[in-house]
Amino acid sequence: MDIAKIVIALLVLVNPLGAVPLFISLTPHSSQTERKKIAKTAAISVAIVIGLFALVGEGLLRFLGISIGSFQVGGGLLVMLIAIALMNAKPNPTKTTDEEREEAESRTNIAVVPMAIPLLTGPGTISTVIIYATTAKTVWQVGSLVVAGMVVASTCYVAMTLATPISRLLGQTGINIVNRVMGMLLAAVSVEIVVDGIYRLFPMLGAH
């Protein structure tokens, strides 16, 4: 497995920069110290979610009787939907709804829900982690996936602790531009996932 490609794919899916505006809107009355505490808890939760599904993902598919190829095709299509939303500068439809965001504003602790789940690690991220976990052939490769999750979680922590200066520097237009670029990268990742899944389902296609 290419660890750099995994880190980039997960970073694009988690999209720490895209979460900056919502993080600010959910912590309007929080002090800098409180924001750092929320960011730390959310980042740790992100690392735990990615690490957990990296370790149990393949076993979960076996338990449910789902073939890896089918899951790759389904997960790849889900990732493509996220990519299209990013390229159109629209909210990710697989993460939080308007109702969930409104409910989150009244929560005293928003670090785990909705920041870590599902805002940062939504269905697209989880399915992608499981897909990469199923292609891991050694313990070291699974460990690399866990390490990738830690790198992504650390990036989330930095983005959230610097949310205000990042928002001022980029503005909504800048964040939308970054999202569109990430969307194009994510679309390429989703195509690779779908194609690999199709080859697993129909191995005769790769015979030549």
Side-chain angles (χ1 to χ4, degrees), residues 32-73:
Q32 188 60 27
T33 301
E34 289 171 334
R35 282 187 172 183
K36 282 187 176 181
K37 185 177 179 181
I38 293 171
K40 182 179 179 181
T41 303
I44 290 173
S45 300
V46 168
I48 290 173
V49 170
I50 293 176
L52 178 64
F53 281 98
L55 295 172
V56 306
E58 187 173 4
L60 181 63
L61 291 187
R62 283 205 208 98
F63 176 75
L64 295 175
I66 300 173
S67 71
I68 296 173
S70 297
F71 192 82
Q72 283 182 302
V73 172

PDB file of all heavy atoms in Angstrom, residues 32-73:
ATOM      1  N   GLN A  32     -10.457  30.265  23.776  1.00  0.00           N
ATOM      2  CA  GLN A  32      -9.433  29.564  23.006  1.00  0.00           C
ATOM      3  C   GLN A  32      -9.044  28.249  23.679  1.00  0.00           C
ATOM      4  O   GLN A  32      -8.808  27.243  23.013  1.00  0.00           O
ATOM      5  CB  GLN A  32      -8.198  30.455  22.850  1.00  0.00           C
ATOM      6  CG  GLN A  32      -7.135  29.911  21.912  1.00  0.00           C
ATOM      7  CD  GLN A  32      -7.631  29.704  20.487  1.00  0.00           C
ATOM      8  OE1 GLN A  32      -8.558  30.381  20.045  1.00  0.00           O
ATOM      9  NE2 GLN A  32      -7.041  28.755  19.781  1.00  0.00           N
ATOM     10  N   THR A  33      -8.994  28.261  25.012  1.00  0.00           N
ATOM     11  CA  THR A  33      -8.660  27.040  25.753  1.00  0.00           C
ATOM     12  C   THR A  33      -9.734  25.969  25.561  1.00  0.00           C
ATOM     13  O   THR A  33      -9.424  24.787  25.357  1.00  0.00           O
ATOM     14  CB  THR A  33      -8.524  27.342  27.259  1.00  0.00           C
ATOM     15  OG1 THR A  33      -7.501  28.320  27.446  1.00  0.00           O
ATOM     16  CG2 THR A  33      -8.166  26.086  28.038  1.00  0.00           C
ATOM     17  N   GLU A  34     -10.996  26.392  25.612  1.00  0.00           N
ATOM     18  CA  GLU A  34     -12.102  25.452  25.415  1.00  0.00           C
ATOM     19  C   GLU A  34     -12.093  24.901  23.996  1.00  0.00           C
ATOM     20  O   GLU A  34     -12.347  23.711  23.783  1.00  0.00           O
ATOM     21  CB  GLU A  34     -13.432  26.143  25.703  1.00  0.00           C
ATOM     22  CG  GLU A  34     -13.649  26.448  27.182  1.00  0.00           C
ATOM     23  CD  GLU A  34     -14.860  27.319  27.429  1.00  0.00           C
ATOM     24  OE1 GLU A  34     -15.251  28.090  26.513  1.00  0.00           O
ATOM     25  OE2 GLU A  34     -15.432  27.247  28.534  1.00  0.00           O
ATOM     26  N   ARG A  35     -11.798  25.762  23.020  1.00  0.00           N
ATOM     27  CA  ARG A  35     -11.735  25.301  21.629  1.00  0.00           C
ATOM     28  C   ARG A  35     -10.621  24.272  21.437  1.00  0.00           C
ATOM     29  O   ARG A  35     -10.779  23.296  20.712  1.00  0.00           O
ATOM     30  CB  ARG A  35     -11.528  26.487  20.682  1.00  0.00           C
ATOM     31  CG  ARG A  35     -12.790  27.289  20.416  1.00  0.00           C
ATOM     32  CD  ARG A  35     -12.569  28.329  19.357  1.00  0.00           C
ATOM     33  NE  ARG A  35     -13.828  28.958  18.965  1.00  0.00           N
ATOM     34  CZ  ARG A  35     -13.941  29.873  18.012  1.00  0.00           C
ATOM     35  NH1 ARG A  35     -12.851  30.272  17.366  1.00  0.00           N
ATOM     36  NH2 ARG A  35     -15.110  30.393  17.720  1.00  0.00           N
ATOM     37  N   LYS A  36      -9.489  24.504  22.091  1.00  0.00           N
ATOM     38  CA  LYS A  36      -8.383  23.542  21.992  1.00  0.00           C
ATOM     39  C   LYS A  36      -8.770  22.206  22.593  1.00  0.00           C
ATOM     40  O   LYS A  36      -8.421  21.147  22.062  1.00  0.00           O
ATOM     41  CB  LYS A  36      -7.141  24.098  22.688  1.00  0.00           C
ATOM     42  CG  LYS A  36      -6.392  25.138  21.878  1.00  0.00           C
ATOM     43  CD  LYS A  36      -5.085  25.518  22.562  1.00  0.00           C
ATOM     44  CE  LYS A  36      -4.288  26.496  21.703  1.00  0.00           C
ATOM     45  NZ  LYS A  36      -3.005  26.864  22.328  1.00  0.00           N
ATOM     46  N   LYS A  37      -9.514  22.250  23.701  1.00  0.00           N
ATOM     47  CA  LYS A  37      -9.949  21.016  24.347  1.00  0.00           C
ATOM     48  C   LYS A  37     -10.926  20.257  23.445  1.00  0.00           C
ATOM     49  O   LYS A  37     -10.828  19.034  23.296  1.00  0.00           O
ATOM     50  CB  LYS A  37     -10.620  21.338  25.680  1.00  0.00           C
ATOM     51  CG  LYS A  37     -11.014  20.106  26.485  1.00  0.00           C
ATOM     52  CD  LYS A  37     -11.607  20.500  27.833  1.00  0.00           C
ATOM     53  CE  LYS A  37     -12.016  19.256  28.630  1.00  0.00           C
ATOM     54  NZ  LYS A  37     -12.615  19.620  29.942  1.00  0.00           N
ATOM     55  N   ILE A  38     -11.856  20.983  22.827  1.00  0.00           N
ATOM     56  CA  ILE A  38     -12.816  20.362  21.900  1.00  0.00           C
ATOM     57  C   ILE A  38     -12.078  19.777  20.703  1.00  0.00           C
ATOM     58  O   ILE A  38     -12.350  18.655  20.266  1.00  0.00           O
ATOM     59  CB  ILE A  38     -13.861  21.392  21.432  1.00  0.00           C
ATOM     60  CG1 ILE A  38     -14.759  21.811  22.601  1.00  0.00           C
ATOM     61  CG2 ILE A  38     -14.720  20.820  20.296  1.00  0.00           C
ATOM     62  CD1 ILE A  38     -15.669  22.982  22.292  1.00  0.00           C
ATOM     63  N   ALA A  39     -11.120  20.547  20.169  1.00  0.00           N
ATOM     64  CA  ALA A  39     -10.346  20.089  19.016  1.00  0.00           C
ATOM     65  C   ALA A  39      -9.551  18.830  19.345  1.00  0.00           C
ATOM     66  O   ALA A  39      -9.480  17.897  18.540  1.00  0.00           O
ATOM     67  CB  ALA A  39      -9.405  21.198  18.547  1.00  0.00           C
ATOM     68  N   LYS A  40      -8.968  18.783  20.546  1.00  0.00           N
ATOM     69  CA  LYS A  40      -8.186  17.616  20.966  1.00  0.00           C
ATOM     70  C   LYS A  40      -9.069  16.385  21.066  1.00  0.00           C
ATOM     71  O   LYS A  40      -8.713  15.308  20.569  1.00  0.00           O
ATOM     72  CB  LYS A  40      -7.512  17.895  22.307  1.00  0.00           C
ATOM     73  CG  LYS A  40      -6.639  16.749  22.809  1.00  0.00           C
ATOM     74  CD  LYS A  40      -5.977  17.107  24.137  1.00  0.00           C
ATOM     75  CE  LYS A  40      -5.121  15.959  24.654  1.00  0.00           C
ATOM     76  NZ  LYS A  40      -4.496  16.293  25.964  1.00  0.00           N
ATOM     77  N   THR A  41     -10.237  16.532  21.697  1.00  0.00           N
ATOM     78  CA  THR A  41     -11.160  15.396  21.852  1.00  0.00           C
ATOM     79  C   THR A  41     -11.651  14.911  20.495  1.00  0.00           C
ATOM     80  O   THR A  41     -11.717  13.705  20.233  1.00  0.00           O
ATOM     81  CB  THR A  41     -12.356  15.792  22.727  1.00  0.00           C
ATOM     82  OG1 THR A  41     -11.886  16.256  23.995  1.00  0.00           O
ATOM     83  CG2 THR A  41     -13.292  14.617  22.942  1.00  0.00           C
ATOM     84  N   ALA A  42     -11.980  15.853  19.602  1.00  0.00           N
ATOM     85  CA  ALA A  42     -12.459  15.492  18.264  1.00  0.00           C
ATOM     86  C   ALA A  42     -11.369  14.770  17.478  1.00  0.00           C
ATOM     87  O   ALA A  42     -11.642  13.768  16.807  1.00  0.00           O
ATOM     88  CB  ALA A  42     -12.913  16.743  17.512  1.00  0.00           C
ATOM     89  N   ALA A  43     -10.139  15.269  17.575  1.00  0.00           N
ATOM     90  CA  ALA A  43      -9.026  14.647  16.843  1.00  0.00           C
ATOM     91  C   ALA A  43      -8.749  13.233  17.351  1.00  0.00           C
ATOM     92  O   ALA A  43      -8.517  12.314  16.551  1.00  0.00           O
ATOM     93  CB  ALA A  43      -7.774  15.516  16.975  1.00  0.00           C
ATOM     94  N   ILE A  44      -8.777  13.058  18.658  1.00  0.00           N
ATOM     95  CA  ILE A  44      -8.567  11.717  19.231  1.00  0.00           C
ATOM     96  C   ILE A  44      -9.671  10.773  18.761  1.00  0.00           C
ATOM     97  O   ILE A  44      -9.414   9.609  18.425  1.00  0.00           O
ATOM     98  CB  ILE A  44      -8.532  11.780  20.769  1.00  0.00           C
ATOM     99  CG1 ILE A  44      -7.256  12.491  21.240  1.00  0.00           C
ATOM    100  CG2 ILE A  44      -8.592  10.375  21.377  1.00  0.00           C
ATOM    101  CD1 ILE A  44      -7.209  12.757  22.727  1.00  0.00           C
ATOM    102  N   SER A  45     -10.906  11.277  18.707  1.00  0.00           N
ATOM    103  CA  SER A  45     -12.037  10.462  18.244  1.00  0.00           C
ATOM    104  C   SER A  45     -11.859  10.056  16.790  1.00  0.00           C
ATOM    105  O   SER A  45     -12.158   8.923  16.408  1.00  0.00           O
ATOM    106  CB  SER A  45     -13.348  11.235  18.424  1.00  0.00           C
ATOM    107  OG  SER A  45     -13.562  11.569  19.777  1.00  0.00           O
ATOM    108  N   VAL A  46     -11.364  10.974  15.968  1.00  0.00           N
ATOM    109  CA  VAL A  46     -11.104  10.673  14.556  1.00  0.00           C
ATOM    110  C   VAL A  46     -10.076   9.548  14.443  1.00  0.00           C
ATOM    111  O   VAL A  46     -10.261   8.593  13.672  1.00  0.00           O
ATOM    112  CB  VAL A  46     -10.602  11.934  13.813  1.00  0.00           C
ATOM    113  CG1 VAL A  46     -10.041  11.558  12.435  1.00  0.00           C
ATOM    114  CG2 VAL A  46     -11.726  12.944  13.657  1.00  0.00           C
ATOM    115  N   ALA A  47      -8.990   9.647  15.218  1.00  0.00           N
ATOM    116  CA  ALA A  47      -7.946   8.614  15.189  1.00  0.00           C
ATOM    117  C   ALA A  47      -8.503   7.264  15.630  1.00  0.00           C
ATOM    118  O   ALA A  47      -8.176   6.220  15.036  1.00  0.00           O
ATOM    119  CB  ALA A  47      -6.778   9.021  16.089  1.00  0.00           C
ATOM    120  N   ILE A  48      -9.357   7.267  16.652  1.00  0.00           N
ATOM    121  CA  ILE A  48      -9.939   6.019  17.160  1.00  0.00           C
ATOM    122  C   ILE A  48     -10.849   5.377  16.117  1.00  0.00           C
ATOM    123  O   ILE A  48     -10.788   4.166  15.876  1.00  0.00           O
ATOM    124  CB  ILE A  48     -10.713   6.277  18.463  1.00  0.00           C
ATOM    125  CG1 ILE A  48      -9.732   6.600  19.601  1.00  0.00           C
ATOM    126  CG2 ILE A  48     -11.561   5.056  18.836  1.00  0.00           C
ATOM    127  CD1 ILE A  48     -10.400   7.024  20.892  1.00  0.00           C
ATOM    128  N   VAL A  49     -11.691   6.196  15.476  1.00  0.00           N
ATOM    129  CA  VAL A  49     -12.626   5.667  14.473  1.00  0.00           C
ATOM    130  C   VAL A  49     -11.857   5.047  13.311  1.00  0.00           C
ATOM    131  O   VAL A  49     -12.146   3.918  12.879  1.00  0.00           O
ATOM    132  CB  VAL A  49     -13.570   6.774  13.963  1.00  0.00           C
ATOM    133  CG1 VAL A  49     -14.359   6.289  12.749  1.00  0.00           C
ATOM    134  CG2 VAL A  49     -14.525   7.207  15.065  1.00  0.00           C
ATOM    135  N   ILE A  50     -10.864   5.770  12.788  1.00  0.00           N
ATOM    136  CA  ILE A  50     -10.084   5.252  11.659  1.00  0.00           C
ATOM    137  C   ILE A  50      -9.319   3.995  12.068  1.00  0.00           C
ATOM    138  O   ILE A  50      -9.310   2.985  11.346  1.00  0.00           O
ATOM    139  CB  ILE A  50      -9.119   6.329  11.133  1.00  0.00           C
ATOM    140  CG1 ILE A  50      -9.915   7.479  10.500  1.00  0.00           C
ATOM    141  CG2 ILE A  50      -8.145   5.727  10.104  1.00  0.00           C
ATOM    142  CD1 ILE A  50      -9.060   8.647  10.033  1.00  0.00           C
ATOM    143  N   GLY A  51      -8.682   4.034  13.241  1.00  0.00           N
ATOM    144  CA  GLY A  51      -7.929   2.874  13.711  1.00  0.00           C
ATOM    145  C   GLY A  51      -8.817   1.665  13.940  1.00  0.00           C
ATOM    146  O   GLY A  51      -8.449   0.532  13.590  1.00  0.00           O
ATOM    147  N   LEU A  52     -10.004   1.892  14.508  1.00  0.00           N
ATOM    148  CA  LEU A  52     -10.924   0.796  14.798  1.00  0.00           C
ATOM    149  C   LEU A  52     -11.362   0.087  13.530  1.00  0.00           C
ATOM    150  O   LEU A  52     -11.306  -1.152  13.436  1.00  0.00           O
ATOM    151  CB  LEU A  52     -12.140   1.330  15.555  1.00  0.00           C
ATOM    152  CG  LEU A  52     -13.236   0.319  15.898  1.00  0.00           C
ATOM    153  CD1 LEU A  52     -12.705  -0.738  16.859  1.00  0.00           C
ATOM    154  CD2 LEU A  52     -14.461   1.016  16.491  1.00  0.00           C
ATOM    155  N   PHE A  53     -11.779   0.861  12.532  1.00  0.00           N
ATOM    156  CA  PHE A  53     -12.259   0.235  11.292  1.00  0.00           C
ATOM    157  C   PHE A  53     -11.117  -0.334  10.465  1.00  0.00           C
ATOM    158  O   PHE A  53     -11.329  -1.251   9.669  1.00  0.00           O
ATOM    159  CB  PHE A  53     -13.091   1.231  10.479  1.00  0.00           C
ATOM    160  CG  PHE A  53     -14.489   1.388  11.004  1.00  0.00           C
ATOM    161  CD1 PHE A  53     -14.812   2.449  11.839  1.00  0.00           C
ATOM    162  CD2 PHE A  53     -15.470   0.469  10.701  1.00  0.00           C
ATOM    163  CE1 PHE A  53     -16.095   2.591  12.353  1.00  0.00           C
ATOM    164  CE2 PHE A  53     -16.762   0.592  11.202  1.00  0.00           C
ATOM    165  CZ  PHE A  53     -17.075   1.655  12.034  1.00  0.00           C
ATOM    166  N   ALA A  54      -9.904   0.191  10.650  1.00  0.00           N
ATOM    167  CA  ALA A  54      -8.747  -0.410   9.987  1.00  0.00           C
ATOM    168  C   ALA A  54      -8.485  -1.810  10.530  1.00  0.00           C
ATOM    169  O   ALA A  54      -8.083  -2.715   9.797  1.00  0.00           O
ATOM    170  CB  ALA A  54      -7.518   0.474  10.190  1.00  0.00           C
ATOM    171  N   LEU A  55      -8.756  -1.994  11.825  1.00  0.00           N
ATOM    172  CA  LEU A  55      -8.480  -3.281  12.468  1.00  0.00           C
ATOM    173  C   LEU A  55      -9.611  -4.294  12.282  1.00  0.00           C
ATOM    174  O   LEU A  55      -9.361  -5.492  12.155  1.00  0.00           O
ATOM    175  CB  LEU A  55      -8.217  -3.066  13.959  1.00  0.00           C
ATOM    176  CG  LEU A  55      -6.955  -2.258  14.309  1.00  0.00           C
ATOM    177  CD1 LEU A  55      -6.917  -1.951  15.796  1.00  0.00           C
ATOM    178  CD2 LEU A  55      -5.704  -3.018  13.887  1.00  0.00           C
ATOM    179  N   VAL A  56     -10.861  -3.818  12.289  1.00  0.00           N
ATOM    180  CA  VAL A  56     -11.995  -4.758  12.272  1.00  0.00           C
ATOM    181  C   VAL A  56     -12.773  -4.733  10.960  1.00  0.00           C
ATOM    182  O   VAL A  56     -13.720  -5.501  10.796  1.00  0.00           O
ATOM    183  CB  VAL A  56     -12.964  -4.479  13.441  1.00  0.00           C
ATOM    184  CG1 VAL A  56     -12.229  -4.488  14.763  1.00  0.00           C
ATOM    185  CG2 VAL A  56     -13.710  -3.152  13.253  1.00  0.00           C
ATOM    186  N   GLY A  57     -12.377  -3.861  10.035  1.00  0.00           N
ATOM    187  CA  GLY A  57     -13.151  -3.677   8.804  1.00  0.00           C
ATOM    188  C   GLY A  57     -13.354  -4.945   7.996  1.00  0.00           C
ATOM    189  O   GLY A  57     -14.480  -5.303   7.628  1.00  0.00           O
ATOM    190  N   GLU A  58     -12.254  -5.672   7.741  1.00  0.00           N
ATOM    191  CA  GLU A  58     -12.360  -6.891   6.928  1.00  0.00           C
ATOM    192  C   GLU A  58     -13.196  -7.957   7.631  1.00  0.00           C
ATOM    193  O   GLU A  58     -14.019  -8.628   7.009  1.00  0.00           O
ATOM    194  CB  GLU A  58     -10.970  -7.438   6.623  1.00  0.00           C
ATOM    195  CG  GLU A  58     -10.988  -8.605   5.652  1.00  0.00           C
ATOM    196  CD  GLU A  58      -9.596  -9.031   5.235  1.00  0.00           C
ATOM    197  OE1 GLU A  58      -8.621  -8.473   5.764  1.00  0.00           O
ATOM    198  OE2 GLU A  58      -9.489  -9.936   4.376  1.00  0.00           O
ATOM    199  N   GLY A  59     -13.010  -8.087   8.942  1.00  0.00           N
ATOM    200  CA  GLY A  59     -13.798  -9.045   9.708  1.00  0.00           C
ATOM    201  C   GLY A  59     -15.281  -8.689   9.702  1.00  0.00           C
ATOM    202  O   GLY A  59     -16.142  -9.571   9.661  1.00  0.00           O
ATOM    203  N   LEU A  60     -15.568  -7.398   9.720  1.00  0.00           N
ATOM    204  CA  LEU A  60     -16.963  -6.947   9.682  1.00  0.00           C
ATOM    205  C   LEU A  60     -17.625  -7.334   8.368  1.00  0.00           C
ATOM    206  O   LEU A  60     -18.774  -7.796   8.359  1.00  0.00           O
ATOM    207  CB  LEU A  60     -17.009  -5.421   9.874  1.00  0.00           C
ATOM    208  CG  LEU A  60     -18.397  -4.780   9.884  1.00  0.00           C
ATOM    209  CD1 LEU A  60     -19.222  -5.301  11.057  1.00  0.00           C
ATOM    210  CD2 LEU A  60     -18.272  -3.256   9.964  1.00  0.00           C
ATOM    211  N   LEU A  61     -16.904  -7.178   7.266  1.00  0.00           N
ATOM    212  CA  LEU A  61     -17.456  -7.563   5.965  1.00  0.00           C
ATOM    213  C   LEU A  61     -17.717  -9.065   5.911  1.00  0.00           C
ATOM    214  O   LEU A  61     -18.753  -9.503   5.385  1.00  0.00           O
ATOM    215  CB  LEU A  61     -16.492  -7.166   4.838  1.00  0.00           C
ATOM    216  CG  LEU A  61     -16.317  -5.677   4.551  1.00  0.00           C
ATOM    217  CD1 LEU A  61     -15.466  -5.484   3.301  1.00  0.00           C
ATOM    218  CD2 LEU A  61     -17.668  -4.982   4.375  1.00  0.00           C
ATOM    219  N   ARG A  62     -16.780  -9.846   6.450  1.00  0.00           N
ATOM    220  CA  ARG A  62     -16.976 -11.304   6.468  1.00  0.00           C
ATOM    221  C   ARG A  62     -18.195 -11.669   7.294  1.00  0.00           C
ATOM    222  O   ARG A  62     -18.981 -12.539   6.917  1.00  0.00           O
ATOM    223  CB  ARG A  62     -15.733 -11.985   7.067  1.00  0.00           C
ATOM    224  CG  ARG A  62     -14.561 -12.073   6.104  1.00  0.00           C
ATOM    225  CD  ARG A  62     -13.654 -13.229   6.478  1.00  0.00           C
ATOM    226  NE  ARG A  62     -12.287 -12.983   6.055  1.00  0.00           N
ATOM    227  CZ  ARG A  62     -11.330 -12.525   6.831  1.00  0.00           C
ATOM    228  NH1 ARG A  62     -11.585 -12.241   8.096  1.00  0.00           N
ATOM    229  NH2 ARG A  62     -10.113 -12.338   6.371  1.00  0.00           N
ATOM    230  N   PHE A  63     -18.348 -11.026   8.449  1.00  0.00           N
ATOM    231  CA  PHE A  63     -19.476 -11.305   9.336  1.00  0.00           C
ATOM    232  C   PHE A  63     -20.802 -10.997   8.643  1.00  0.00           C
ATOM    233  O   PHE A  63     -21.783 -11.733   8.802  1.00  0.00           O
ATOM    234  CB  PHE A  63     -19.348 -10.474  10.616  1.00  0.00           C
ATOM    235  CG  PHE A  63     -20.504 -10.620  11.562  1.00  0.00           C
ATOM    236  CD1 PHE A  63     -20.663 -11.768  12.330  1.00  0.00           C
ATOM    237  CD2 PHE A  63     -21.454  -9.608  11.666  1.00  0.00           C
ATOM    238  CE1 PHE A  63     -21.735 -11.902  13.194  1.00  0.00           C
ATOM    239  CE2 PHE A  63     -22.537  -9.738  12.525  1.00  0.00           C
ATOM    240  CZ  PHE A  63     -22.676 -10.890  13.304  1.00  0.00           C
ATOM    241  N   LEU A  64     -20.826  -9.928   7.866  1.00  0.00           N
ATOM    242  CA  LEU A  64     -22.059  -9.535   7.169  1.00  0.00           C
ATOM    243  C   LEU A  64     -22.239 -10.269   5.847  1.00  0.00           C
ATOM    244  O   LEU A  64     -23.284 -10.137   5.201  1.00  0.00           O
ATOM    245  CB  LEU A  64     -22.045  -8.019   6.909  1.00  0.00           C
ATOM    246  CG  LEU A  64     -22.068  -7.130   8.163  1.00  0.00           C
ATOM    247  CD1 LEU A  64     -21.918  -5.665   7.772  1.00  0.00           C
ATOM    248  CD2 LEU A  64     -23.367  -7.336   8.945  1.00  0.00           C
ATOM    249  N   GLY A  65     -21.220 -11.013   5.436  1.00  0.00           N
ATOM    250  CA  GLY A  65     -21.317 -11.766   4.187  1.00  0.00           C
ATOM    251  C   GLY A  65     -21.255 -10.893   2.950  1.00  0.00           C
ATOM    252  O   GLY A  65     -21.835 -11.214   1.914  1.00  0.00           O
ATOM    253  N   ILE A  66     -20.540  -9.770   3.048  1.00  0.00           N
ATOM    254  CA  ILE A  66     -20.409  -8.842   1.918  1.00  0.00           C
ATOM    255  C   ILE A  66     -19.053  -9.056   1.262  1.00  0.00           C
ATOM    256  O   ILE A  66     -18.026  -9.066   1.938  1.00  0.00           O
ATOM    257  CB  ILE A  66     -20.537  -7.375   2.392  1.00  0.00           C
ATOM    258  CG1 ILE A  66     -21.893  -7.153   3.052  1.00  0.00           C
ATOM    259  CG2 ILE A  66     -20.342  -6.412   1.224  1.00  0.00           C
ATOM    260  CD1 ILE A  66     -22.035  -5.786   3.706  1.00  0.00           C
ATOM    261  N   SER A  67     -19.047  -9.223  -0.054  1.00  0.00           N
ATOM    262  CA  SER A  67     -17.772  -9.415  -0.750  1.00  0.00           C
ATOM    263  C   SER A  67     -17.010  -8.096  -0.802  1.00  0.00           C
ATOM    264  O   SER A  67     -17.603  -7.011  -0.823  1.00  0.00           O
ATOM    265  CB  SER A  67     -18.008  -9.928  -2.173  1.00  0.00           C
ATOM    266  OG  SER A  67     -18.559  -8.908  -2.987  1.00  0.00           O
ATOM    267  N   ILE A  68     -15.683  -8.212  -0.836  1.00  0.00           N
ATOM    268  CA  ILE A  68     -14.847  -7.018  -0.877  1.00  0.00           C
ATOM    269  C   ILE A  68     -15.117  -6.223  -2.145  1.00  0.00           C
ATOM    270  O   ILE A  68     -15.197  -4.990  -2.125  1.00  0.00           O
ATOM    271  CB  ILE A  68     -13.353  -7.417  -0.793  1.00  0.00           C
ATOM    272  CG1 ILE A  68     -13.062  -8.070   0.559  1.00  0.00           C
ATOM    273  CG2 ILE A  68     -12.452  -6.205  -0.998  1.00  0.00           C
ATOM    274  CD1 ILE A  68     -11.669  -8.654   0.669  1.00  0.00           C
ATOM    275  N   GLY A  69     -15.291  -6.931  -3.267  1.00  0.00           N
ATOM    276  CA  GLY A  69     -15.563  -6.252  -4.539  1.00  0.00           C
ATOM    277  C   GLY A  69     -16.832  -5.433  -4.499  1.00  0.00           C
ATOM    278  O   GLY A  69     -16.868  -4.276  -4.938  1.00  0.00           O
ATOM    279  N   SER A  70     -17.898  -6.013  -3.962  1.00  0.00           N
ATOM    280  CA  SER A  70     -19.174  -5.295  -3.871  1.00  0.00           C
ATOM    281  C   SER A  70     -19.044  -4.062  -2.987  1.00  0.00           C
ATOM    282  O   SER A  70     -19.569  -2.986  -3.305  1.00  0.00           O
ATOM    283  CB  SER A  70     -20.250  -6.219  -3.297  1.00  0.00           C
ATOM    284  OG  SER A  70     -20.491  -7.308  -4.146  1.00  0.00           O
ATOM    285  N   PHE A  71     -18.323  -4.226  -1.874  1.00  0.00           N
ATOM    286  CA  PHE A  71     -18.153  -3.098  -0.960  1.00  0.00           C
ATOM    287  C   PHE A  71     -17.318  -2.000  -1.604  1.00  0.00           C
ATOM    288  O   PHE A  71     -17.585  -0.811  -1.408  1.00  0.00           O
ATOM    289  CB  PHE A  71     -17.500  -3.565   0.338  1.00  0.00           C
ATOM    290  CG  PHE A  71     -17.550  -2.531   1.436  1.00  0.00           C
ATOM    291  CD1 PHE A  71     -18.693  -2.385   2.208  1.00  0.00           C
ATOM    292  CD2 PHE A  71     -16.460  -1.712   1.693  1.00  0.00           C
ATOM    293  CE1 PHE A  71     -18.746  -1.433   3.209  1.00  0.00           C
ATOM    294  CE2 PHE A  71     -16.502  -0.762   2.690  1.00  0.00           C
ATOM    295  CZ  PHE A  71     -17.657  -0.613   3.456  1.00  0.00           C
ATOM    296  N   GLN A  72     -16.319  -2.400  -2.398  1.00  0.00           N
ATOM    297  CA  GLN A  72     -15.493  -1.407  -3.074  1.00  0.00           C
ATOM    298  C   GLN A  72     -16.309  -0.600  -4.086  1.00  0.00           C
ATOM    299  O   GLN A  72     -16.165   0.624  -4.167  1.00  0.00           O
ATOM    300  CB  GLN A  72     -14.312  -2.082  -3.779  1.00  0.00           C
ATOM    301  CG  GLN A  72     -13.192  -2.481  -2.822  1.00  0.00           C
ATOM    302  CD  GLN A  72     -12.023  -3.088  -3.570  1.00  0.00           C
ATOM    303  OE1 GLN A  72     -12.184  -4.082  -4.272  1.00  0.00           O
ATOM    304  NE2 GLN A  72     -10.848  -2.515  -3.425  1.00  0.00           N
ATOM    305  N   VAL A  73     -17.143  -1.279  -4.849  1.00  0.00           N
ATOM    306  CA  VAL A  73     -17.964  -0.569  -5.831  1.00  0.00           C
ATOM    307  C   VAL A  73     -18.934   0.376  -5.125  1.00  0.00           C
ATOM    308  O   VAL A  73     -19.062   1.557  -5.488  1.00  0.00           O
ATOM    309  CB  VAL A  73     -18.731  -1.566  -6.730  1.00  0.00           C
ATOM    310  CG1 VAL A  73     -19.724  -0.815  -7.622  1.00  0.00           C
ATOM    311  CG2 VAL A  73     -17.761  -2.370  -7.584  1.00  0.00           C
TER     312      VAL A  73
END
